[in-house]
């Protein structure tokens, strides 16, 4: 189990031996440490975990540590940054601080100096008030972007939720950012120093779920030679994210209801309840009221969970967020691919804003990633877009458009009109769902 004071730290340096020394020192005092040998690798690693502190070398062969500082400042506002340099010079330090590094460590440094700097960063994290950045802007909040009124309302709900430990239910279609919202709540709450534990309720076989969630005592079943902590014990003092809550069987729903009522869990094989202090954040992309009325979700569990509901609207209902997200993802993938960020023509922006995005932000992110990867020049034109997004791209002088063009536009219009419901759209279009799916697949191929 992680120590409550342990910080998640990413150390970036092209010198592998320096990395190793730093890693060992930090792990020795209980931190969790990951390493990367380049800015590109660091950018990728940052996406996999919610880090607290980034320690980066200044001079690295391909991309400078300053670029990483900028990237972290832009995308992960809450992270503390420590810049290391072998060329300790006042101008370098000034630039680093102006770019957003909090601390500066000159090589060679002693173990004590390193631990001191990290300790100060950890202290700042603990003292910081939730969301110290102004919220009512298009600012980055834990990697969540959105200037639309709908997203601003989501930010306010996150802030409110962060002030208590009440159970949260996050609703939203697939790819709308439910997990990001859950993380934002945890990392801006008082629980941030303890663990955030995501659990995909549909991804664990029914027979294992109980011991995975609540742990198992030694001897509980064959092969259980040691007592093992479950997700709830790991999340003690922190938050557990129960994703796809509707996938829980009726039996597990009953067990979970008891946990919520008693604030205690029973390890498999134990008759003694053990108290846990865990904040529950649940999510589903299903129509939750429909599930309750069908009897697939226990009504009493629904009421227990739905203390603070947060609904994330689908992307097609907040088109004003699209340019912001495009800029964000293209800058991110350009940095990752070590290319200049391409320009998007007005026409492209127009088409992307009018596309219904059934896969929401995740789909947009994938499309932008591919466009940046494939870009040859410095701008992206409508002709570069996937077929379904290319409608009206090339308006011939005669005004006579191609069948593919008209078809793509029509499909998008119908999908927009039925709120992204693909079955309904297919029915109206007179094609089967599979044909429609294939059209989207070719749009995202
Ligand atoms: N508002 C946003 N700003 C920036 N990135 C976002 C936003 N919303 C979603 N994303 C990105 O889109 C992707 C999908 O987000 P996430 O996994 O949180 O969605 P989800 O609602 O949990 O999806 P699913 O229901 O499929 O599990 C992630 O890569 C996430 O970083
Ligand atoms: Mg998810």
């Amino acid at each position: 189990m992680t120590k409550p004071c342990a910080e998640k730290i990413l150390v970036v340096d092209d010198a592998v031996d320096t990395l190793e020394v730093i890693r060992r020192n930090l792990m020795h005092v209980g931190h969790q440490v990951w390493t990367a040998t380049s800015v590109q690798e660091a950018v990728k690693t940052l996406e996999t975990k919610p880090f607290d502190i980034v320690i980066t070398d200044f001079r690295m062969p391909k991309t400078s540590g300053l670029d990483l500082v900028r990237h972290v400042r832009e995308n992960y506002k809450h992270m503390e940054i420590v810049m290391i340099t072998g060329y300790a010079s006042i101008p370098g330090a000034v630039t680093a601080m102006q770019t957003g590094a909090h601390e500066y460590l000159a090589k060679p440094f002693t173990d004590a100096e390193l631990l001191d700097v990290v300790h100060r960063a950890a202290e700042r994290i603990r003292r910081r008030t939730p969301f110290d950045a102004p919220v009512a802007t298009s600012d980055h909040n834990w990697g969540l972007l959105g200037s639309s009124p709908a997203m601003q309302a989501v930010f306010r709900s996150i802030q409110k939720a962060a002030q208590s430990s009440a159970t949260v239910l996050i609703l939203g279609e697939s790819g709308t950012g439910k997990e990001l919202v859950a993380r934002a709540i945890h990392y801006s709450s008082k629980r941030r120093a303890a663990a955030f534990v995501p659990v995909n309720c549909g991804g664990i076989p029914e027979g294992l779920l109980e011991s995975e969630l609540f742990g198992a005592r030694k001897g509980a079943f064959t092969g259980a030679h040691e007592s093992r902590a479950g997700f709830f014990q790991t999340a003690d003092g922190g938050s557990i994210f129960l994703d796809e809550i509707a996938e829980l069987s009726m039996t597990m729903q009953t067990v979970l209801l008891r946990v919520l009522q008693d604030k205690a869990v029973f390890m498999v094989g134990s008759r003694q309840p053990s108290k846990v202090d865990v904040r529950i954040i649940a999510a589903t992309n299903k129509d939750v009221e429909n599930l309750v009325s069908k009897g697939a979700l226990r009504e009493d569990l629904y009421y227990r969970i739905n203390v603070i509901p947060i609904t994330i609207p689908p992307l097609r209902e907040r088109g004003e967020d699209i340019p912001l997200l495009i800029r964000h993802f293209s800058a991110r993938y350009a940095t990752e691919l070590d290319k200049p960020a391409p320009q998007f023509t007005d026409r492209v922006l127009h088409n992307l804003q009018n596309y219904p995005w059934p896969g929401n932000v995740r789909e947009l992110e994938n499309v932008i990633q591919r466009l940046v990867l494939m870009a040859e020049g410095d701008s992206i034109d409508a002709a570069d877009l996937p077929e379904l997004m290319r409608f009206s791209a090339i308006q011939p002088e005669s005004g006579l458009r191609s069948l593919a063009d008209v078809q793509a536009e029509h499909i998008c219009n119908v999908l927009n009109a039925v709120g992204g419901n693909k079955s309904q759209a297919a029915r109206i279009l007179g094609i089967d769902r599979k044909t429609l799916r294939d059209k989207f697949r070719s749009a995202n191929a």
Side-chain angles (χ1 to χ4, degrees):
M1 233 179 283
T2 55
K3 289 190 193 171
C5 68
E7 309 297 334
K8 285 198 176 64
I9 304 177
L10 176 64
V11 189
V12 191
D13 197 324
D14 58 306
V16 180
D17 45 345
T18 313
L19 269 188
E20 196 43 36
V21 171
I22 299 179
R23 192 178 68 86
R24 248 185 282 141
N25 275 327
L26 293 176
M27 286 188 56
H28 190 69
V29 294
H31 295 294
Q32 299 180 52
V33 185
W34 282 261
T35 57
T37 53
S38 68
V39 171
Q40 283 71 24
E41 195 188 335
V43 167
K44 277 201 199 118
T45 311
L46 281 167
E47 283 174 28
T48 62
K49 263 166 224 75
F51 288 96
D52 304 298
I53 303 173
V54 178
I55 303 179
T56 179
D57 192 16
F58 181 54
R59 299 236 169 152
M60 284 181 281
K62 255 176 98 186
T63 314
S64 150
L66 272 186
D67 287 333
L68 182 62
V69 174
R70 269 187 218 108
H71 177 79
V72 171
R73 264 298 64 83
E74 275 234 329
N75 297 286
Y76 309 95
K77 240 191 163 61
H78 61 290
M79 276 180 214
E80 288 283 323
I81 308 175
V82 178
M83 180 71 106
I84 303 177
T85 179
Y87 304 80
S89 61
I90 303 280
V94 170
T95 320
M97 301 306 245
Q98 279 171 346
T99 316
H102 299 98
E103 299 269 357
Y104 196 61
L105 197 57
K107 277 191 208 169
F109 49 85
T110 63
D111 296 352
E113 279 167 342
L114 168 72
L115 295 180
D116 219 36
V117 159
V118 169
H119 180 72
R120 279 204 299 273
E123 276 303 300
R124 273 196 301 275
I125 291 172
R126 264 183 276 286
R127 273 200 312 271
R128 202 176 303 148
T129 48
F131 277 96
D132 51 5
V135 166
T137 63
S138 60
D139 244 317
H140 308 263
N141 291 310
W142 314 96
L144 260 175
L145 285 99
S147 55
S148 60
M151 281 308 288
Q152 295 299 325
V154 169
F155 292 146
R156 281 193 298 277
S157 303
I158 291 173
Q159 230 185 341
K160 227 178 268 164
Q163 283 156 18
S164 81
S165 281
T167 307
V168 180
L169 179 60
I170 306 173
L171 302 171
E173 289 180 10
S174 179
T176 46
K178 294 186 290 297
E179 182 151 356
L180 277 187
V181 168
R183 285 180 192 278
I185 293 170
H186 171 76
Y187 286 101
S188 49
S189 77
K190 279 195 290 217
R191 298 175 168 265
R192 56 172 304 153
F196 172 85
V197 180
V199 182
N200 180 354
C201 298
I204 302 169
E206 175 71 18
L208 289 181
L209 193 54
E210 196 160 349
S211 66
E212 289 287 311
L213 283 175
F214 309 123
R217 283 197 60 85
K218 185 175 168 178
F221 40 76
T222 348
H225 302 303
E226 299 276 331
S227 289
R228 232 193 51 217
F231 293 133
F232 270 87
Q233 285 90 2
T234 307
D236 202 8
S239 317
I240 198 163
F241 176 49
L242 298 176
D243 202 2
E244 300 311 337
I245 187 92
E247 300 292 320
L248 286 181
S249 68
M250 275 297 151
T251 319
M252 284 310 294
Q253 290 187 22
T254 310
V255 174
L256 184 60
L257 185 64
R258 210 175 56 214
V259 172
L260 280 161
Q261 281 161 347
D262 303 345
K263 301 202 178 343
V265 298
F266 287 88
M267 287 177 107
V268 174
S270 166
R271 266 177 242 187
Q272 290 298 320
S274 45
K275 284 273 167 206
V276 283
D277 168 26
V278 174
R279 192 242 186 111
I280 295 180
I281 305 175
T284 178
N285 56 16
K286 304 263 159 55
D287 175 349
V288 72
E289 297 199 346
N290 183 29
L291 289 174
V292 172
S293 67
K294 274 198 323 208
L297 181 66
R298 284 184 68 131
E299 192 167 9
D300 41 8
L301 178 62
Y302 170 55
Y303 288 129
R304 277 264 171 191
I305 287 177
N306 195 28
V307 181
I308 305 179
I310 299 182
T311 301
I312 315 176
L315 189 56
R316 67 185 159 278
E317 287 175 16
R318 44 187 172 99
E320 63 263 59
D321 288 342
I322 290 177
L324 187 72
L325 288 163
I326 293 176
R327 250 181 287 130
H328 167 72
F329 291 129
S330 73
R332 175 197 288 182
Y333 288 108
T335 311
E336 197 172 288
L337 296 162
D338 212 10
K339 293 173 96 166
Q343 293 294 313
F344 289 76
T345 62
D346 289 348
R347 173 127 248 167
V348 167
L349 290 176
H350 169 87
N351 281 22
L352 295 182
Q353 272 182 295
N354 286 288
Y355 178 75
W357 300 110
N360 291 293
V361 184
R362 181 180 293 113
E363 183 184 9
L364 175 70
E365 181 173 352
N366 291 341
V367 167
I368 300 300
Q369 180 182 17
R370 215 176 40 253
L371 288 174
V372 173
L373 182 76
M374 305 299 274
E376 282 170 358
D378 50 7
S379 88
I380 307 265
D381 190 23
D384 301 321
L385 293 175
E387 199 177 314
L388 262 188
M389 301 169 198
R390 220 184 291 158
F391 53 86
S392 316
I394 305 136
Q395 275 286 11
E397 298 230 322
S398 61
L400 298 172
R401 299 157 60 193
S402 77
L403 194 54
D405 187 312
V406 175
Q407 174 175 303
E409 184 171 40
H410 186 58
I411 292 175
C412 289
N413 285 341
V414 170
L415 260 164
N416 271 322
V418 296
N421 182 328
K422 284 195 215 161
S423 317
Q424 211 180 330
R427 224 173 303 129
I428 293 171
L429 290 163
I431 54 179
D432 57 34
R433 256 189 78 100
K434 186 181 169 306
T435 313
L436 184 63
R437 223 180 20 245
D438 288 346
K439 289 194 185 296
F440 276 102
R441 199 163 296 137
S442 68
N444 286 296

